Amino acid sequence: MSAEVTAFLDHYLDTKGPAHSAVLINGPWGAGKTHFIKAYMERRREAAIKADPQNKRVHLYVSVNGVRSLQEVRDLFFAETNPLLNSATAKLVGTIALRAVNAATGGAALAADDARRFLGRDIADYALVFDDLERCAMPLQEMMGFINDFVEHEGMKVVILASEDDVQLGEQAEYRRRKEKLVGKSREVRAEPDIVYDAFVSAMQHRPAREAAVQGKAGVLTVFAASGVGNLRSLRSVLEDFDRL
């Protein structure tokens, strides 16, 4: 499944010219969407650097999980585009970081509200990744309208990650209406535990536990499949507990 999504994203992101719609990657919570897109985008970044060492970035990634305003989204993007800040910092300090930067620059940092002046002309070719759409704490129609500005008015390539089954009941009708305008193609990512298991094991701190997890991989994955849950977060949690114990 991920090979199909990879091939589709390659086509979408490599096609020259402005985008006319966004791409949606759908899948249930814990299906590995975030792991997939971060690994995919990192491979693209490495390839871009190899082709041109001056090309340090090809995408911007933000999770809108819990964000309550468009200003918070702008904070996260601003942190992504500035080496002295990062998304974790932006989440902790909120608008304080931007206020400090705006004060230092005489208010020039984020003086405008439109997409191009907000992000800067030098990153017009970047891909934008919006993760955890269904967990946004503000109305989805407002967030999707914000995302649509980048596609419709700026022609930027946008990838949205969401669990459509978890969109709030009261927002489903508006979500479908907005999606029809915003999203051109949807693809689904499902858990691939055989691949992700190795990544989880490699992150284990204690060698005996790590070796035992390697040897017991087949049995663990059999139990995981039999559970019928398919939530990779649960699998990672089990391995982390085993490592700790």
Side-chain angles (χ1 to χ4, degrees):
M1 179 64 72
S2 61
E4 177 188 347
V5 179
T6 295
F8 179 78
L9 286 177
D10 286 344
H11 174 75
Y12 174 71
L13 296 175
D14 290 337
T15 300
K16 302 299 182 182
H20 300 291
S21 60
V23 167
L24 173 70
I25 297 179
N26 180 39
W29 290 346
K33 300 186 299 296
T34 299
H35 176 86
F36 166 80
I37 199 64
K38 286 187 173 182
Y40 172 82
M41 287 299 184
E42 179 60 21
R43 290 195 299 271
R44 288 187 64 86
R45 188 187 72 84
E46 292 175 353
I49 292 175
K50 185 176 181 180
D52 179 5
Q54 299 301 315
N55 194 356
K56 301 299 185 183
R57 187 188 288 274
V58 295
H59 75 282
L60 298 176
Y61 167 93
V62 296
S63 168
V64 297
N65 181 13
V67 300
R68 299 181 180 277
S69 69
L70 294 181
Q71 185 59 53
E72 289 186 43
V73 184
R74 296 185 184 99
D75 289 358
L76 295 175
F77 270 127
F78 186 72
E80 281 279 292
T81 59
N82 287 268
L84 296 181
L85 296 173
N86 56 47
S87 57
T89 302
K91 288 179 180 178
L92 287 172
V93 303
T95 59
I96 295 176
L98 286 186
R99 290 172 182 168
V101 174
N102 274 320
T105 60
L110 283 182
D113 199 31
D114 62 279
R116 183 173 295 281
R117 292 177 65 189
F118 159 55
L119 285 175
R121 296 179 183 276
D122 59 332
I123 61 170
D125 293 331
Y126 285 17
L128 303 183
V129 180
F130 293 84
D131 198 356
D132 300 311
L133 180 66
E134 78 289 347
R135 296 188 179 191
C136 180
M138 58 187 291
L140 277 184
Q141 64 180 38
E142 189 174 353
M143 176 59 68
M144 294 175 80
F146 176 74
I147 296 173
N148 186 64
D149 283 342
F150 295 106
V151 179
E152 183 174 355
H153 301 301
E154 303 303 323
M156 298 181 74
K157 307 292 178 65
V158 173
V159 179
I160 303 168
L161 279 69
S163 173
E164 292 190 304
D165 290 341
D166 293 297
V167 172
Q168 294 294 322
L169 184 62
E171 293 193 291
Q172 287 180 2
E174 184 64 26
Y175 170 78
R176 288 193 295 269
R177 189 179 72 82
R178 293 274 179 172
K179 176 186 172 183
E180 184 176 355
K181 177 181 179 182
L182 173 62
V183 176
K185 295 290 184 180
S186 298
R187 291 293 184 270
E188 188 164 355
V189 169
R190 290 285 176 177
E192 295 190 43
D194 184 67
I195 297 174
V196 179
Y197 183 91
D198 294 337
F200 291 163
V201 170
S202 67
M204 296 173 70
Q205 300 297 310
H206 300 285
R207 183 173 57 83
R210 189 166 56 248
E211 292 176 348
V214 170
Q215 294 174 3
K217 177 178 179 179
V220 173
L221 292 182
T222 297
V223 173
F224 179 74
S227 73
V229 176
N231 190 320
L232 295 180
R233 293 190 182 95
S234 298
L235 177 60
R236 179 173 60 187
S237 178
V238 167
L239 290 172
E240 289 175 347
D241 284 345
F242 180 65
D243 190 33
R244 174 177 57 83
L245 292 173

